[in-house]
Amino acid sequence: MRLTRPMLALVGAAAALALAGCGSGDDQAAVPETATGSLEHIAAEAKCKPDMQTDADEIRQALCKSGKEKYVLATFATDRGQREWINGAKDYGGYYLVGRKWVAVGEQKTVTALQTTLGGTMEEGSAHMNNHGGGSEATHSAGHSG
């Protein structure tokens, strides 16, 4: 099943909510082997109690907290579905920690910290959205998914 624009808009809005400010810091600690498994397993590795937002065959998505920071954790049925989702979501900015059939989206410092537990590779969304004003633009854009 194909991911639809409304699904991407919903995810973009969730990612925008997760972005409360700009992070900094380029500390690259030793990255462990990339986590695999279900959303619940990956969330447990990250010490997150997932608040499920989407539970469909092709994507499962939850909001997680790390201290005061929030992030989105999503798992995918296929590699292609994951890549299509990431490519569409990057228009909303944010920082993406990408593993095999999963992604965590949030502030740079949050996903960088998650990388020390979950492994994975970092990707960055649209630069013009990754500033302090980007959240409102992303939320506004997500509301117009027609």
Side-chain angles (χ1 to χ4, degrees), residues 1-145:
M1 206 170 162
R2 235 178 96 104
L3 296 177
T4 63
R5 287 184 69 187
M7 287 176 78
L8 289 174
L10 173 66
V11 170
L17 290 174
L19 299 172
C22 295
S24 63
D26 296 338
D27 297 13
Q28 285 290 66
V31 177
E33 185 174 329
T34 302
T36 59
S38 68
L39 186 136
E40 290 80 6
H41 176 79
I42 294 167
E45 292 282 324
K47 296 178 178 53
C48 156
K49 182 179 177 189
D51 177 9
M52 292 300 293
Q53 303 295 304
T54 303
D55 193 356
D57 291 340
E58 60 279 342
I59 182 174
R60 299 185 73 221
Q61 176 183 312
L63 292 178
C64 286
K65 286 185 181 179
S66 175
K68 294 181 181 179
E69 306 298 326
K70 293 181 182 179
Y71 61 95
V72 174
L73 181 62
T75 57
F76 303 87
T78 65
D79 294 323
R80 180 179 176 178
Q82 175 188 21
R83 181 47 49 193
E84 288 176 355
W85 183 93
I86 292 169
N87 290 345
K90 279 185 172 183
D91 289 342
Y92 297 99
Y95 295 88
Y96 300 76
L97 181 61
V98 181
R100 178 80 199 282
K101 295 185 183 177
W102 62 265
V103 64
V105 185
E107 284 189 42
Q108 184 179 18
K109 65 182 178 181
T110 304
V111 293
T112 298
L114 283 171
Q115 190 177 32
T116 64
T117 303
L118 299 177
T121 57
M122 295 288 293
E123 296 185 24
E124 186 174 342
S126 296
H128 73 278
M129 298 304 277
N130 286 341
N131 58 38
H132 291 287
S136 61
E137 291 178 41
T139 304
H140 178 74
S141 297
H144 299 288
S145 60

